[in-house]
Amino acid sequence: KIISGILLTLAVCTLVLVGWPPAGAKQVANVEAARSFDRKLAELETAHQQGRTAEVRLSGIEVNSKLQQIFGDMPPAGLMGMRGVTVELVQEHLLAFFSIKVAGLSLYITLGGKPSIENRRLQFDLDEVRLGHMPTSSSLISQVLAEKLNSPEGRDMLRMPDYITGLHLEHGELLLATKERLHLPTSA
């Protein structure tokens, strides 16, 4: 009876840790912040077209508002349907929170790391994984994540516009940059 009581307690604690949403999983989004995100991307594109370098800073609210605009109307897909995505920008670190439903239970997955751009694709150097509040092996998740992101649909989803050539986090803001377009001489 003592062993079964201990096992039951451990099972309940595990379910609470896994099903309890992390603090950053519920970010506030608003329409004006999503518009600000769009305006800043348009500034980068215009600078690129004019042959100028440019850099924009995006706040966590702007990024989350755009994510909600993109993913908010999508129905959960597959057996483990993703129901929500939010991010938290902490200094030079990004935390991405995913809400999924498995067997009627809402679970939260947190991926932490540093984003970058390589070969015109968004990359993510994963260094932290949690299931709810419970730390999980990042090596196992890294392999699964790499497979998903290297699939044809994953590559398309992570393709960056040609005019965005740099991305990094600084003081809790996402910085996107463009370089000058090359002006090749025209032959007469």
Side-chain angles (χ1 to χ4, degrees), residues 40-48 54-56 163-164 176-178:
K40 289 178 180 182
L41 280 188
E43 288 174 27
L44 278 182
E45 185 174 18
T46 300
H48 176 72
E55 179 179 273
V56 296
Y163 58 88
I164 297 177
L176 298 176
T178 185

Side-chain angles (χ1 to χ4, degrees), residues 51-120:
R52 297 182 292 118
T53 60
E55 179 179 273
V56 296
R57 294 176 176 269
L58 297 167
S59 70
I61 293 172
E62 291 169 319
V63 174
N64 279 307
S65 295
K66 190 61 181 179
L67 284 172
Q68 294 308 312
Q69 190 180 62
I70 292 169
F71 294 112
D73 296 332
M74 292 177 63
L79 180 60
M80 294 182 6
M82 187 172 66
R83 296 177 37 228
V85 179
T86 58
V87 296
E88 185 176 352
L89 308 175
V90 183
Q91 296 303 321
E92 285 76 37
H93 200 251
L94 181 137
L95 294 171
F97 304 96
F98 301 91
S99 171
I100 61 173
K101 194 150 199 136
V102 178
L105 180 66
S106 291
L107 300 178
Y108 297 89
I109 298 171
T110 303
L111 303 177
K114 293 190 179 199
S116 63
I117 294 179
E118 187 176 309
N119 298 323
R120 302 272 188 234

Side-chain angles (χ1 to χ4, degrees), residues 104-143:
L105 180 66
S106 291
L107 300 178
Y108 297 89
I109 298 171
T110 303
L111 303 177
K114 293 190 179 199
S116 63
I117 294 179
E118 187 176 309
N119 298 323
R120 302 272 188 234
R121 285 185 50 219
L122 182 63
Q123 302 291 315
F124 194 69
D125 184 17
L126 186 65
D127 62 15
E128 177 182 353
V129 178
R130 291 187 195 163
L131 189 54
H133 283 271
M134 193 168 66
T136 308
S137 169
S138 63
S139 61
L140 175 64
I141 300 295
S142 290
Q143 291 172 347

Side-chain angles (χ1 to χ4, degrees), residues 24-44:
K26 301 290 182 192
Q27 295 283 335
V28 177
N30 68 58
V31 174
E32 186 52 41
R35 286 185 191 129
S36 175
F37 182 102
D38 291 336
R39 280 191 301 272
K40 289 178 180 182
L41 280 188
E43 288 174 27
L44 278 182

